Amino acid sequence: MTMSRPTMALLLAVLAGLFTFPFYGGEFYVEMMAEMMILGIFAMSLDLLVGFTGLVSLGHAAFFGIAAYAVALISPEYDPANLWLVMPAAILASALAALVIGLLVLRTKGIYFIMVTLAFTQMAFYLFHDTALGGGSDGIYLNFRPEPRLGEWLAFDLAEGHQFFYFVLIVLVLVYGLLVRVLRSPFGRVLVGIKENEHRMRSLGYATFRYKLGAFVLAGALAGTAGFLYAVLFGFVTPELLSWHESGQVLMMVILGGMGSPVGALIGAGSMVALEESFSMLTKHWQLLMGLVIVAVVLFLPGGLIGLPGRLRGLLLKGGGDD
Amino acid sequence: MTEALLVAERLSRRFGGLSANEDVSITLERGKLHALLGPNGAGKSTCINLLSGDLPPSSGQIHYKGRDITRLSAPQRSRVGIGRSYQRTNIFGGFTVLENCRLAAQSRRQRAWRLFTDACALGDTLDKARAVIAEAGLAGREDRIAGTLSHGEQRQLEIAMVLATDADVLLLDEPLAGMGSEEATKMVALLDRLRRTRAILLVEHDMDAVFAVADTITVLVNGQLLASGSPDRIRANVEVQQAYLGDEAPASAVSGCGAPPRAPARAAPPAGTRDGSATCRA
């Protein structure tokens, strides 16, 4: 996973653009960008399963939603919670859920895996939808954004839009860095090996179940990180966050951006939010347009949007040769 | 002074009413190459699958270096030292040759749970990978994408990957399948070299190769062990000749040149080929 120089330069430019974004983007766009980044983390976490381990999950929203509910439920009603407690707790809740669900669903493969992940996320959905646990179908409010309290000291203020934006950006960079390192590690190589040929991995001595479970828990924890931030951003959690709709949405982000690349997942999440926003300004039936874009990408760019530059270069070179 | 590494006793495997293997006993010794012969559907691959742990036996026992391994899974058997290759090339086609072997070597070095080390910084794993690539005759091919190698080279890679797991017992399912004669000669030489420090079970249709390198031959027919012994004894065994070739075939044909077994038998002159070694390249 070594990066070419232009890719590196582009990445740095994008990063610089993001870090300065609050200075030129309006309030509305700062918040939208924060949402893109949060969904980017969510999409990267799913890509670890789909793009790197070969596990197509249709239940990934469960871990997103469980962390979101965890913050809302743990936080006191009339005071801000402590960020340094509530954030790890929310992530841990998702990781634990992923451990338990993973132990069961990873015994299946292929289409059955898709079905049981879907079944589990539906169970989680109805758990919050049909019980009073999290306010039923109405959902639950998070009245105050958590405070980063260390003793009496508050390092920053998440209630302030720009500071929240930077907090999300830093988490995004950390998650990205973590994924890149992990994928380069022996563990990451095992995951890619499982995707490529699980049977052979077993005959080479890898008890693949454990590695898949490790990936599932890590992906669940990262999805939980995104879910936590999402709840803090909107201050409101509903069962819809765990719906299979949401699971499908994040899977589409991964496919749109390009499977098997964390950057692709980020591009997918960003373009999905941007397209949704611009199409909904054009027409009430924006989902039709959205569908067309997805179909077009799948048909003409099987590698996702991240394959676009290479595709264009190929076309240009071919065009040049014809002259 | 031979050391029995793998001892299988009365292994049976039934699929519903079909008995794919019935009471098959086999012993693999260090320094020896044991060939498994039999017509198509005789249960050779099932036998390898039982020994490698890909299939659990319905009954019977398997011991490795004196330890009962009957209940161990495929990954566990690989870890104790039993490596296998596949009849149909089973490699990581999208990876480089080096990565194929590196992954195999890594499995033996218990470092897969290190989440933050660069896999390519683990020198001993890489060294092992390079060494087995050279041993299997693929030096210089390290950075090729495995899927783009020639068929013969992919078969060599299969073997290299098994070697990278430090296996003491090699279960090789038709390593010569589909190879040209030059490639096959190289592979036979490789098998001959590998045998010196390991125990090998070889399933192979190429009779020339089998009779050239095998120390012991076991013949399976309809999932049952028909005969087992030195190449000379197997060649002379009347039951084997009948099972393999039908009653009308000349006795010599067992040492003919492979699948389909009947064809060379008819083509061979009925006399003068009794000396099987004439058709076996040494």
Side-chain angles (χ1 to χ4, degrees), chain A residues 282-294:
Chain A
L282 286 178
T283 161
K284 186 163 76 169
H285 308 291
W286 60 271
Q287 280 175 321
L288 281 177
L289 291 174
M290 197 73 205
L292 283 178
V293 171
I294 303 272

Side-chain angles (χ1 to χ4, degrees), chain A residues 38-233:
Chain A
I38 291 169
L39 292 177
I41 296 172
F42 188 24
M44 283 196 294
S45 76
L46 179 62
D47 197 24
L48 178 66
L49 296 181
V50 178
F52 290 100
T53 320
L55 296 167
V56 180
S57 166
L58 221 99
H60 207 50
F63 312 116
F64 185 76
I66 284 170
Y69 266 102
V71 215
L73 290 172
I74 299 170
S75 298
E77 209 171 338
Y78 302 111
D79 285 302
N82 187 344
L83 175 72
W84 305 128
L85 296 178
V86 81
M87 185 169 174
I91 295 171
L92 194 68
S94 286
L96 280 177
L99 178 68
V100 173
I101 294 179
L103 276 170
L104 298 165
V105 297
L106 288 169
R107 294 176 193 284
T108 62
K109 284 196 171 79
I111 189 86
Y112 301 101
F113 180 77
I114 297 178
M115 293 314 290
V116 283
T117 50
L118 181 62
F120 269 102
T121 196
Q122 284 299 87
M123 277 166 63
F125 171 80
Y126 283 110
L127 176 70
F128 289 108
H129 190 271
D130 291 353
T131 66
L133 180 66
S137 58
D138 291 339
I140 182 171
Y141 282 98
L142 175 67
N143 294 321
F144 298 93
R145 287 186 176 176
E147 281 180 341
R149 189 188 300 281
L150 278 177
E152 287 302 297
W153 182 57
L154 293 174
F156 47 88
D157 180 9
L158 289 184
E160 201 276 315
H162 288 190
Q163 295 195 31
F164 179 74
F165 175 90
Y166 284 117
F167 183 71
V168 173
L169 179 54
I170 288 166
V171 173
L172 174 82
V173 171
L174 290 177
V175 169
Y176 176 79
L178 175 90
L179 277 177
V180 169
R181 294 251 12 208
V182 166
L183 288 170
R184 223 181 266 173
S185 75
F187 173 72
R189 299 296 186 92
V190 172
L191 298 187
V192 181
I194 290 173
K195 183 189 180 204
E196 181 87 11
N197 190 341
E198 181 172 0
H199 181 216
R200 188 56 195 241
M201 286 302 278
R202 285 179 59 77
S203 77
L204 288 178
Y206 290 101
T208 52
F209 181 82
R210 283 181 227 162
Y211 295 93
K212 290 195 286 184
L213 187 61
F216 202 76
V217 171
L218 180 58
L222 295 178
T225 309
F228 165 82
L229 294 171
Y230 196 85
V232 173
L233 173 63

Side-chain angles (χ1 to χ4, degrees), chain B residues 4 20 56 61 93 97 109 155 163 188 194-196 208 226 265 271:
Chain B
Q61 260 127 44
V97 169
R109 281 160 182 77
R155 305 301 295 173
L163 296 181
V188 170
L194 294 177
R195 169 234 322 258
R196 286 175 210 158
D208 289 353
L226 185 71

